[in-house]
Structure formats: C-alpha cells, structure tokens
Amino acid sequence: MKESVLELFQQHPELSTLISVTISIVIAVLGLVPSFFVTAANILFFGFRNGLIISIAGEAIGAVIAFLLYRKGFRKTIIQKLSRFPQIQKLIEAQGQRAFWLILSLRLIPFVPSGLVTFAAAIGKVSAVTFVIASTLGKIPALFMEAYSVYEIGRFSWQGKIILLLIAVGLLFFLLRKS
C-alpha cells in the first residue's frame, strides 16, 4: 500500500500534500483501516520533518471530519453496541476534562483503533472542541513514534528500533498505571 501511495505522489508531486491529506481523511472516516502506510509514504517522500507535519495535519483533519460525520449519523443506534467495551463506555459518558484525558490517553496507546476512539467520542457527550484538542495532542506523540520508526527502519538502524520499543513500553506502562 505504501508503494502505491508513493507512486501516486511521484506521479503528481504538485498535488502530493493534498493527496496525502485526502487519503488520511478517507482512512479516518472508514475508521478501521490503519494509517501507518500513509505516514511511511509521507516520511519517504517529504522527508522526516515535513512528512511528520503532513501526517499530523492529515490525521487531525481526518479525525475532525470523521467525528462530525459520526456525530450526525450514528449517535443513537450505536451506543448500546459499544457497551461491551468498558474504556469506550467511559468515553461515551465522559465530558469536559475527564473526556479530554480519556481521548488523549486512548490516542497515545498504539493498539487502540483510532476510528473506535473517534466513533465513541462522536456518539458520546464530549464537545467537538475538547475532542479536536485532545485527539490532535494525542496523535502527535503517536505519529512521531510511527514516523521515527519508519525513518529508522529506512536507515536500518537497530538503535532506533530499541529506543522506539522502550518508549512504547514506557508509555504503555504509564497509561495502564494511570487508568
């Protein structure tokens, strides 16, 4: 998939930023498709710094659009179906500062599907402003780790892989201890 996106960027370099953001929006709205391949393509095509910035922008814009679409269309019918996920149920009921910290925490955990967090927040009681701020702030470290790993893997450096693993384990330990 990464190769297809890179090929698209190379065929249309003047539109590559718009293409990247559009793909990120579609992924966010679909909710279940992982986005790491877009981040990888961004890092390889735009370089580390610009690729990271474009990835953050695309994911943040995608999350906002998905949040608004989900809030319009699914709120009433889905709340019961998500009752089997206790952390997600907490997010649905949360408001204000509690909602902010739940969204931020869930965005930092790489194993929690981004679409599920967006969906639960959208059908819940959290305000759009709280969601946008918490979601974007939570995505920044996660995308930085993702971008850094792509960058290091591209350089075949084992040190970067070990550092990344230690950071991920540390964040996971911190978040599990806090909840």
Side-chain angles (χ1 to χ4, degrees):
M1 200 71 156
K2 172 189 71 177
E3 291 79 19
S4 300
V5 175
L6 270 172
E7 189 177 313
L8 195 56
F9 289 171
Q10 291 165 350
Q11 290 172 354
H12 307 285
E14 68 284 351
L15 297 174
S16 55
T17 301
L18 181 62
I19 292 168
S20 175
V21 171
T22 302
I23 292 170
S24 293
I25 291 169
V26 170
I27 288 171
V29 170
L30 292 175
L32 298 174
V33 179
S35 63
F36 66 87
F37 68 90
V38 178
T39 303
N42 287 343
I43 298 303
L44 293 172
F45 188 79
F46 298 107
F48 183 79
R49 185 177 59 89
N50 291 337
L52 178 61
I53 291 167
I54 292 166
S55 293
I56 290 168
E59 292 230 8
I61 293 166
V64 170
I65 291 172
F67 177 86
L68 296 172
L69 288 173
Y70 294 169
R71 181 155 276 185
K72 286 275 187 208
F74 297 106
R75 185 177 238 160
K76 292 179 182 174
T77 58
I78 293 299
I79 289 177
Q80 286 181 311
K81 292 182 182 180
L82 291 176
S83 63
R84 61 187 169 149
F85 300 100
Q87 288 294 86
I88 297 301
Q89 194 62 37
K90 288 179 189 176
L91 177 56
I92 290 170
E93 296 299 321
Q95 295 181 37
Q97 193 174 28
R98 181 163 159 44
F100 176 87
W101 288 111
L102 274 169
I103 293 166
L104 182 71
S105 298
L106 290 169
R107 286 289 191 228
L108 289 171
I109 302 171
F111 309 110
V112 176
S114 185
L116 188 59
V117 175
T118 302
F119 195 74
I123 63 170
K125 298 176 181 177
V126 64
S127 74
V129 172
T130 299
F131 173 79
V132 169
I133 294 169
S135 180
T136 302
L137 288 176
K139 282 182 174 288
I140 291 171
L143 280 170
F144 181 81
M145 287 189 294
E146 191 175 296
Y148 186 72
S149 67
V150 168
Y151 181 74
E152 286 300 321
I153 288 168
R155 294 177 23 174
F156 298 105
S157 168
W158 63 272
Q159 293 96 340
K161 294 173 191 171
I162 290 174
I163 291 169
L164 181 66
L165 177 65
L166 292 173
I167 290 170
V169 168
L171 277 173
L172 184 60
F173 176 76
F174 173 76
L175 292 171
L176 290 174
R177 196 168 161 232
K178 233 186 152 166
S179 49

